[in-house]
Amino acid sequence: MLTLIIAGGLLMWTEKDQLAGKDSPAGGSGAEDAGAAAVPTTLEGALVVQLLGGAITRAQYQAALTRLAERDDDRDPMSVPDADPPEACP
């Protein structure tokens, strides 16, 4: 999950640079393509956009991710397999 968050953050960071005109994509109208791609499709993406845009602080971002992880754990808890399953070979 952390890897996805970091990858999403890096993706949003590069798109933010493209929107600012630092690195325009080759061919076509870059503003239309970058504007369409900058819309986050997940809650994590929206949080990254808010963090990079300065709408929330780093502490608010971390608190939101903590609450999100707790919510995910309540909705879909992970189960740990037994240490010695009965069908294990000796």
Side-chain angles (χ1 to χ4, degrees):
M1 182 175 192
L2 182 61
T3 304
L4 291 174
I5 292 169
I6 292 171
L10 291 174
L11 180 64
M12 293 297 170
W13 189 11
T14 57
E15 288 177 2
K16 181 181 175 186
D17 289 344
Q18 287 178 353
L19 287 174
K22 293 180 184 175
D23 185 21
S24 60
S29 59
E32 291 175 2
D33 295 338
V39 177
T41 58
T42 63
L43 181 56
E44 291 91 345
L47 289 170
V48 169
V49 169
Q50 290 175 354
L51 177 65
L52 293 176
I56 61 174
T57 65
R58 183 176 178 174
Q60 290 171 324
Y61 172 77
Q62 290 174 340
L65 285 183
T66 300
R67 288 191 305 271
L68 182 61
E70 290 170 352
R71 184 190 75 182
D72 287 347
D73 191 40
D74 289 341
R75 289 183 180 178
D76 190 25
M78 296 181 66
S79 61
V80 179
D82 295 331
D84 290 324
E87 63 273 350
C89 297

